[in-house]
């Protein structure tokens, strides 16, 4: 097999990836409480602040109070943020700064396992944070239906999707500064276009077409109805888009990471 | 055999920009020996190790690590090998004990199996009672020793160390050397790279000097010295008041005038002349009458061989 072929090869994974996942989990567990509070505080403050503050001016959005509308969007975008931060900043630290990946590769663990473990770990962490946010939302009474529990696996899939996209950036990054471009050019505009803060119907037609392709739109389309106690429309489409982006982005990230570390 | 490499070639880049870092390297380790790879920066030492571990795909050549073909079965092979990398890669978020336990997990070793061995591993590294110490609180030498302990969690048959004592103080180096000797005495095969000739001379049963991706010489330290260099060295330096009574000049001027007749070979490096000879007596007798010149007479060592073979120019 030539070097180029092996760079493009499909992922070859082993159960050892769980040992790598466990390493990240054990580090997280040491600082679990501050970590959850950190992931929780910002979105909850925004949700309550905007929801009650702006909600005074906006009587109803799509038939519900503004804060109830905002709750689903908040859960979706904070999941995206948690998965993105984990793969960008923490992942880059482990890969580049602390040389953790290099140490692990000297053991019988392949780079594919490590990148897959980072993917699943970032999704797990964002899911832990997302579940905490969902609990707060439920306490405030904006997730009364048992259907809201079905949002948890959707949150996990959303985490996988943004972790996979984040891993592409990590594989390309020369330094931490590089990640600023990803946030300002991709994450922030996407948050504004994906129906987190206002319905996508408010967007001009051209932008609406672009917005419909964004992964966060699909996460919002699934999570918001579930929190409101409704079955989302086009479930297969939304899940499918998130799954396809996850697989394609993960494979791309894997190729780029192999090129970076195995050459 | 713990490691067999034949015809290893590694190129980086493509086409006209391609750089051949390893150019046809053959190496085979015997069970229980300590083998040192010596070479200036960029000689291909680390690349050779990375190929041997299956961390990068060779451009050509065959590798068998712990009896298994690499890279095809690199993962299985690495299960029987321990590695001390050049750069510190301990987990700063964990204590000393946690570093060992988590690393053992990468080998599929259960916590219940590794936990009872932690005190023994830490003791081997001279880190008794440091179970709960944080990595940031350790000195450079302690970190390197913990990395050594970490490389032993799977009881490896082959231990690979990439510059294990670079940046350590003499005390820490001696402790590492003593532990490595103990490991070879217990039957572990060791492959190490180093810049320190005294380290190779002390530890290695056999060594290879590598330059520009090729092995220049291979053998026991004593044989390599005996075969490739004159046994005696006289280093000459200082001011030379030449017999004509002119103003003082350096050892290089002295060497240009006299070294050819009095030594078999003479190399100038900076202000020092290195005179290599089979019998230093006539040279020393001559030098005794050269006021201002100072001398150091010593047996030739591995560093002399290394510099003879790889040259004295800087490599960076």
């Amino acid at each position: 097999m030539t070097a180029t072929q092996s760079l493009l090869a499909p992922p070859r994974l082993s159960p050892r990836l769980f040992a790598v996942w466990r390493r990240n989990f054990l580090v997280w567990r040491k600082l679990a409480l501050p970590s959850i509070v950190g992931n929780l505080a910002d979105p909850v403050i925004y949700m309550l602040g905007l929801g009650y503050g702006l909600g005074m001016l906006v009587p109803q959005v799509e038939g519900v109070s503004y804060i109830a509308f905002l709750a689903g969007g908040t859960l979706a975008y904070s999941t995206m943020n948690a998965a993105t931060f984990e793969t960008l900043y923490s992942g880059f630290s482990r890969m580049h700064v602390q040389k953790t990946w290099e140490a692990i590769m000297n053991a019988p663990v392949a780079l594919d396992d490590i990148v897959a473990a980072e993917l699943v770990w970032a999704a797990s962490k964002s899911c832990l944070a997302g579940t905490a946010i969902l609990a707060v939302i439920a306490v405030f009474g904006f997730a009364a239906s048992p259907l809201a529990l079905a949002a948890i696996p959707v949150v996990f899939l959303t985490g996988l999707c943004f972790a996979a996209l984040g891993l592409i950036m990590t594989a390309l990054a020369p330094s931490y500064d590089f990640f600023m471009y990803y946030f300002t050019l991709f994450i922030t505009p996407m948050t504004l276009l994906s129906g987190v803060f206002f319905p996508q119907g408010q967007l001009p037609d051209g932008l609406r077409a672009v917005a419909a392709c964004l992964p966060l739109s699909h996460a919002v389309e699934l999570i918001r109805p579930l929190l409101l106690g409704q079955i989302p429309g086009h479930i297969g489409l939304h899940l499918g888009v998130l799954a396809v982006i996850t697989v394609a982005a993960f494979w791309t990230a894997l190729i780029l990471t192999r090129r970076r570390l195995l050459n | 055999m713990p490691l067999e490499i034949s015809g290893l070639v590694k190129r980086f880049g493509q086409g006209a920009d391609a750089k051949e870092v390893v150019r046809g390297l053959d190496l085979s380790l015997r069970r229980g020996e300590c083998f040192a790879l010596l070479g200036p920066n960029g000689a291909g030492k680390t690349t050779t190790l990375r190929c041997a571990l299956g961390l990068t795909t060779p451009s050509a050549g065959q590798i068998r690590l712990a009896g298994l073909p690499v890279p095809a079965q690199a993962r299985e092979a690495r299960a029987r090998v321990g590695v001390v990398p050049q750069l510190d890669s301990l987990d700063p978020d964990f204590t000393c004990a946690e570093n060992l336990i988590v690393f053992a997990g990468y080998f599929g070793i259960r916590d219940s199996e590794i936990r009872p061995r932690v005190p023994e591993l830490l003791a081997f590294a001279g880190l008794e009672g440091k179970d709960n110490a944080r990595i940031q609180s350790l000195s450079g030498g302690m970190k390197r020793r913990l990395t050594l302990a970490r490389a032993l969690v799977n009881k490896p048959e082959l231990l690979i160390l990439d510059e294990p004592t670079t940046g350590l103080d003499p005390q820490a180096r001696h402790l590492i050397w003593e532990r490595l000797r103990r490991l070879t005495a217990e039957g572990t095969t060791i492959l190490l790279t180093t810049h320190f000739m005294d380290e190779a001379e002390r530890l290695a049963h056999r060594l290879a000097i590598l330059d520009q991706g090729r092995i220049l010489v291979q053998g026991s330290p004593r044989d390599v010295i005996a075969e490739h260099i004159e046994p005696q060295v006289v280093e000459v330096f200082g001011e030379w008041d030449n017999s004509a009574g002119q103003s003082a000049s350096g050892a290089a001027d002295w060497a240009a005038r006299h070294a050819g007749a009095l030594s078999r070979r003479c190399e100038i490096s900076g202000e020092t002349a290195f005179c290599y000879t089979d019998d230093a007596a006539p040279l020393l007798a001559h030098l005794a009458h050269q006021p201002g010149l100072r001398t150091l007479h010593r047996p030739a060592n591995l560093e002399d061989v290394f510099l003879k073979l790889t040259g004295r120019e800087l490599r960076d």
Side-chain angles (χ1 to χ4, degrees):
Chain A
M1 190 159 51
T2 70
T4 322
Q5 270 169 341
S6 67
L7 279 184
L8 302 177
R12 262 166 303 171
L13 305 176
S14 81
R16 289 288 157 78
L17 74 88
F18 292 105
V20 182
W21 182 93
R22 189 183 76 134
R23 180 244 165 241
N24 292 346
F25 172 75
L26 291 174
V27 173
W28 175 82
R29 202 178 60 178
K30 291 192 169 222
L31 293 165
L33 196 64
S35 167
I36 288 204
V37 170
N39 280 319
L40 198 61
D42 197 62
V44 166
I45 290 167
Y46 264 90
M47 184 182 75
L48 296 178
L50 287 178
Y52 285 118
L54 209 56
M56 301 284 224
L57 307 171
V58 186
Q60 288 226 307
V61 181
E62 294 183 342
V64 295
S65 71
Y66 182 57
I67 190 166
F69 172 86
L70 199 55
T74 300
L75 181 52
Y77 94 80
S78 57
T79 301
M80 168 186 78
N81 275 344
T84 305
F85 268 97
E86 183 63 21
T87 46
L88 264 54
Y89 290 93
S90 309
F92 188 74
S93 297
R94 291 190 282 266
M95 175 186 76
H96 187 72
V97 183
Q98 294 173 193
K99 308 281 176 205
T100 311
W101 293 12
E102 277 176 37
I104 299 172
M105 278 192 282
N106 287 326
V109 181
L111 181 61
D112 289 16
D113 292 324
I114 297 174
V115 181
E118 290 287 343
L119 174 86
V120 179
W121 164 247
S124 309
K125 187 178 169 182
S126 66
C127 194
L128 287 164
T131 306
I133 293 167
L134 182 60
V136 173
I137 291 171
V139 165
F140 280 88
F142 302 115
S145 155
L147 263 184
L149 287 176
I152 295 176
V154 177
V155 162
F156 186 76
L157 178 61
T158 306
L160 282 176
C161 182
F162 285 100
L165 290 166
L167 284 167
I168 295 178
M169 291 299 118
T170 305
L172 294 171
S175 73
Y176 291 111
D177 297 328
F178 180 75
F179 299 135
M180 196 48 96
Y181 298 113
Y182 185 60
F183 278 100
T184 52
L185 299 176
F186 184 63
I187 294 289
T188 307
M190 180 165 55
T191 310
L192 293 170
L193 293 175
S194 295
V196 170
F197 298 109
F198 53 85
Q200 283 180 314
Q202 302 295 316
L203 294 169
D205 288 345
L207 264 186
R208 211 186 309 165
V210 173
C213 304
L214 299 171
L216 185 59
S217 300
H218 297 277
V220 172
E221 292 289 339
L222 288 166
I223 292 173
R224 175 170 291 136
L226 289 171
L227 262 53
L228 296 171
Q230 302 155 3
I231 305 281
H234 311 293
I235 294 184
L237 171 75
H238 298 310
L239 288 176
V241 169
L242 290 173
V244 166
I245 293 176
T246 301
V247 171
F250 174 67
W251 197 340
T252 308
L254 204 53
I255 292 166
L256 293 170
T257 313
R258 287 170 181 159
R259 195 187 62 173
R260 178 173 183 145
L261 295 181
L262 298 184
N263 253 344
Chain B
M1 248 186 282
L3 176 64
E4 268 185 286
I5 298 176
S6 64
L8 178 66
V9 175
K10 179 64 186 177
R11 273 183 297 272
F12 291 108
Q14 310 249 311
D17 297 332
K19 195 165 174 262
E20 214 165 58
V21 174
V22 180
R23 306 195 283 181
L25 183 138
D26 302 298
L27 194 66
S28 73
L29 299 197
R30 298 171 192 152
R31 194 163 296 285
E33 75 173 338
C34 175
F35 192 101
L37 266 184
L38 304 175
N41 286 332
K45 304 185 296 292
T46 301
T47 303
T48 302
L49 296 188
R50 282 172 52 79
C51 288
L53 289 165
L55 300 177
T56 186
T57 311
S59 309
Q62 267 81 47
I63 299 168
R64 290 187 85 83
L65 178 65
L68 298 169
V70 168
Q73 282 181 268
R75 198 199 309 243
E76 293 82 350
R78 288 202 301 269
R80 292 150 65 179
V81 175
V83 180
V84 176
Q86 198 178 105
L87 296 171
D88 181 41
S89 63
L90 292 164
D91 233 316
D93 298 298
F94 290 134
T95 64
C96 292
E98 287 168 337
N99 259 285
L100 301 179
I101 293 165
V102 170
F103 203 77
Y106 305 140
F107 289 84
I109 301 170
R110 293 175 175 283
D111 286 10
S112 57
E113 206 179 318
I114 186 69
R115 239 174 242 285
R117 289 183 52 224
V118 166
E120 161 208 335
L121 284 164
L122 289 176
F124 182 83
L127 295 167
E128 293 93 341
K130 292 279 181 192
D131 302 58
N132 296 317
R134 298 198 63 83
I135 300 305
Q136 291 89 329
S137 70
L138 303 182
S139 69
M142 291 160 106
K143 283 183 190 165
R144 200 64 60 88
R145 272 141 54 198
L146 183 59
T147 307
L148 176 61
R150 189 181 71 173
L152 299 174
V153 291
N154 59 326
K155 302 181 180 166
E157 56 194 77
L158 170 64
L159 183 62
I160 295 180
L161 306 101
D162 197 1
E163 297 187 18
T165 63
T166 299
L168 299 189
D169 64 23
Q171 287 84 351
R173 293 176 69 194
H174 279 269
L175 190 127
I176 297 243
W177 291 343
E178 192 272 320
R179 293 305 197 260
L180 295 183
R181 273 196 213 101
R182 206 195 281 183
L183 286 169
T184 45
E186 289 165 4
T188 310
T189 310
I190 291 179
L191 172 62
L192 60 88
T193 74
T194 181
H195 287 307
F196 300 116
M197 301 301 138
D198 58 331
E199 183 162 293
E201 224 169 318
R202 274 163 210 252
L203 285 179
H205 300 107
R206 289 193 306 141
L207 58 87
I209 296 180
L210 199 66
D211 195 21
Q212 294 174 351
R214 285 200 184 93
I215 288 180
L216 302 178
V217 292
Q218 202 174 150
S220 75
R222 192 179 297 182
D223 291 348
V224 165
I225 294 168
E227 277 168 38
H228 293 277
I229 199 116
E230 301 77 3
Q232 311 261 318
V233 187
V234 179
E235 295 182 20
V236 182
F237 47 96
E239 305 276 292
W240 183 43
D241 300 321
N242 79 32
S243 48
Q246 291 157 356
S247 58
S249 58
D253 291 315
W254 167 82
R257 194 85 60 87
H258 297 290
L262 293 163
S263 64
R264 182 139 27 124
R265 203 164 54 80
C266 183
E267 287 178 21
I268 310 292
S269 176
E271 295 298 304
T272 303
F274 292 80
C275 300
Y276 294 92
T277 175
D278 298 316
D279 175 14
L283 174 59
L284 291 169
H286 162 84
L287 285 165
H289 298 104
Q290 305 298 320
L293 281 180
R294 294 191 289 151
T295 62
L296 172 66
H297 177 211
R298 59 175 176 80
N301 60 29
L302 205 49
E303 187 147 316
D304 297 306
V305 180
F306 185 86
L307 290 169
K308 180 185 173 189
L309 295 175
T310 64
R312 288 182 184 269
E313 309 85 61
L314 281 183
R315 308 290 183 87
D316 18 44

